[in-house]
Amino acid sequence: MAKERKRRQPADAPPPGDDDEGRDHRREKKPRKERPDPVLPSQIKNKDKRKEVHAKLKREKKAQKRKLARERGQAAQRAPPEKLVPRTIENTREPDETVCRPDDQELFAGNDADEFNAVLKQQTTPKVLITTCRFNSGRGPAFIEELMQVIPNSCYVKRGTYELKKIVEYANNRDFTSLVVVHTNRREPDALLIINLPAGPTAHFKLSKLILRKDIKNHGNPTSHKPELVLNNFTTRLGHRVGRMIQSLFPQEPNFRGRRVVTFHNQRDYIFFRHHRYIFEMKENKIASKDKKAKTSESKSQPEKQVICRLQECGPRFTLKLLTLQHGTFDTKNGEYEWVHKWLSSDEQAGWQIAACCWVLLLHMAWGSHPIQVRPYVSARTSVQAGAYDTEQCSGTWLAPSPGPAMLSAPVWSNG
């Protein structure tokens, strides 16, 4: 009888037929348990427990990072993304119209009539005179000593108080083909002047980042053999002319037994100089024998001789930057320049001039009682571009216009 009795239901219970509604009603009444906030290691006072929680969080973070990397790799395999090309100075430059082409007949005709033809065709033996500025000290003498070992058939003459024109006459009377002047400033060589004799041209280079032989690690000592000459990336008309000028300093018959290499590498209009000698070495590599019956260790390993070639730098090491190229020998008053380095392009110069005029106008507006004459600033380099004659800015020197953008290598101008 007790089993047959119905269980008493609470007053708010749903009727017995509506089972689903009752379940939903009971579900709604249960309070949801909110997840507690994760405990940070800094909130734990126990040192051991804090280390344990920190290590656990670190492992979870690394696992999540590996998972994301795996997903990215799988997505890249399914659809490889387009490779982005970085924007550099080299690929944003405009093409140069003065690049020398191998089928340029005008260029070859000019080579036969230029000032370096006699030396490059071995009609005259190159003979180089090296001198300094009037006050030479610091690393200048050491640099000249190493430069004489680089350039064969060269000799040094002390400058003293003689003017450069007297040195040029002295070199012409003794049948020198080139004159190299090393200029020092604050006991440090900072410029190089190369004058082709007897009638020029004259190239003025800025010299920087000089490292002598003693400062080069594992350097070698050069021999007296005639070196091989390597000229890289002198591709424009101006670069071709400068390259031939450098080439006229060295004999055209290198002695390959000396294993000497002199390199002038042009990149972004900077000429990097390096002096190496290559060395051939015999190296023995032990090859394990496949003969299983071999018992002794000598029969198991068979030495194999291999010839290995490596480079050893002899120094010095420096960088050149062409500043001016002048017709004839060195002349500061009446010289005619083929090319002058412009620090700013024409657009940049115009921008600086406009900015200067704006500042003058602002000053004039601020100080209205004081009249100020607004005159655009014209520099010597601007007059070079226009081919002008300006006695104030150019010191009475007529500067011929450049035949083009005229840099040493192509491409020339940068958009970025």
Side-chain angles (χ1 to χ4, degrees), residues 375-394:
R375 180 179 179 269
Y377 173 73
V378 180
S379 64
R381 298 180 185 86
T382 308
S383 59
V384 168
Q385 186 182 3
Y389 182 83
D390 192 346
T391 55
E392 294 180 2
Q393 304 295 337
C394 304

Side-chain angles (χ1 to χ4, degrees), residues 46-118:
N46 192 336
K47 184 177 180 181
D48 297 336
K49 185 66 176 178
R50 185 169 61 246
K51 285 184 178 180
E52 182 181 350
V53 173
H54 176 71
K56 184 179 178 181
L57 292 176
K58 198 171 182 180
R59 286 194 300 271
E60 291 177 356
K61 190 175 181 180
K62 285 186 178 180
Q64 184 69 15
K65 192 174 181 180
R66 285 195 297 268
K67 183 180 178 181
L68 293 175
R70 197 181 307 112
E71 291 177 357
R72 284 196 300 266
Q74 292 175 359
Q77 289 178 0
R78 288 193 298 268
E82 184 180 356
K83 189 175 181 181
L84 300 177
V85 179
R87 188 173 181 271
T88 60
I89 296 178
E90 295 294 339
N91 60 19
T92 55
R93 290 192 179 189
E94 297 179 0
D96 186 13
E97 299 177 355
T98 63
V99 176
C100 302
R101 297 180 180 179
D103 57 347
D104 193 349
Q105 299 297 331
E106 181 182 356
L107 178 66
F108 295 117
N111 291 342
D112 296 335
D114 66 358
E115 303 88 343
F116 320 109
N117 185 42

Side-chain angles (χ1 to χ4, degrees), residues 135-184:
F135 304 100
N136 181 38
S137 61
R139 296 200 299 171
F143 174 60
I144 291 173
E145 183 180 354
E146 295 185 8
L147 202 62
M148 290 175 61
Q149 295 179 0
V150 171
I151 303 175
N153 201 14
S154 61
C155 63
Y156 168 71
V157 173
K158 190 176 179 180
R159 171 75 175 271
T161 58
Y162 292 100
E163 295 182 356
L164 193 57
K165 290 184 179 180
K166 297 291 183 180
I167 301 293
V168 171
E169 293 178 4
Y170 174 85
N172 280 327
N173 295 335
R174 284 158 179 77
D175 298 329
F176 283 96
T177 59
S178 297
L179 173 64
V180 178
V181 181
V182 179
H183 184 268
T184 57

Side-chain angles (χ1 to χ4, degrees), residues 3 12 26 33 39 113 118 127 131 138 163 179 201 233 236 252:
K3 292 180 180 180
D12 55 347
R26 287 194 298 270
K33 294 182 180 180
V39 181
K127 189 178 177 182
T131 186
E163 295 182 356
L179 173 64
N233 206 19
T236 61
Q252 304 305 305

Side-chain angles (χ1 to χ4, degrees), residues 192-392:
L192 204 66
L193 194 69
I194 301 178
I195 304 174
N196 188 65
L197 300 176
T202 301
H204 180 207
F205 295 94
K206 175 187 174 183
L207 191 146
S208 59
K209 297 182 180 180
L210 173 63
I211 301 178
L212 298 178
R213 183 184 303 140
K214 63 178 183 179
D215 300 326
I216 298 175
K217 187 178 180 180
N218 299 327
H219 66 271
N221 296 319
T223 59
S224 59
H225 297 82
K226 297 177 182 178
E228 304 174 50
L229 184 63
V230 179
L231 299 174
N232 289 333
N233 206 19
F234 291 85
T235 54
T236 61
R237 288 294 185 97
L238 178 64
H240 182 74
R241 186 161 175 79
V242 173
R244 286 176 66 84
M245 188 176 191
I246 295 173
Q247 191 177 358
S248 65
L249 299 174
F250 296 86
Q252 304 305 305
E253 294 181 352
N255 193 339
F256 296 101
R257 284 187 173 274
R259 308 189 306 278
R260 291 177 61 195
V261 182
V262 174
T263 305
F264 289 88
H265 176 75
N266 177 40
Q267 185 175 358
R268 297 179 184 174
D269 304 323
Y270 285 92
I271 303 173
F272 300 94
F273 174 84
R274 296 293 184 271
H275 182 202
H276 295 90
R277 62 189 294 262
Y278 47 93
I279 302 173
F280 296 103
E281 295 178 342
M282 297 293 295
K283 187 177 180 181
E284 293 185 356
N285 295 331
K286 293 184 178 181
I287 300 177
S289 177
K290 295 183 180 180
D291 189 8
K292 295 182 179 179
K293 297 180 180 180
K295 295 181 180 180
T296 61
S297 60
E298 295 180 358
S299 59
K300 288 183 180 180
S301 60
Q302 299 176 358
E304 180 185 1
K305 293 184 179 181
Q306 186 179 4
V307 180
I308 295 176
C309 181
R310 64 180 180 90
L311 287 175
Q312 185 181 30
E313 190 169 0
C314 299
R317 183 194 303 174
F318 56 87
T319 304
L320 298 175
K321 172 75 173 178
L322 181 64
L323 299 180
T324 59
L325 186 63
Q326 183 182 7
H327 282 296
T329 56
F330 183 75
D331 191 355
T332 56
K333 293 184 178 180
N334 303 317
E336 182 180 348
Y337 289 85
E338 296 183 33
W339 183 86
V340 176
H341 173 62
K342 293 176 286 189
W343 297 96
L344 298 176
S345 64
S346 57
D347 297 337
E348 292 173 338
Q349 281 182 351
W352 279 105
Q353 292 174 8
I354 292 171
C357 291
C358 291
W359 276 107
V360 172
L361 289 174
L362 289 174
L363 292 174
H364 178 63
M365 292 172 63
W367 303 334
S369 59
H370 300 276
I372 299 176
Q373 183 181 2
V374 179
R375 180 179 179 269
Y377 173 73
V378 180
S379 64
R381 298 180 185 86
T382 308
S383 59
V384 168
Q385 186 182 3
Y389 182 83
D390 192 346
T391 55
E392 294 180 2

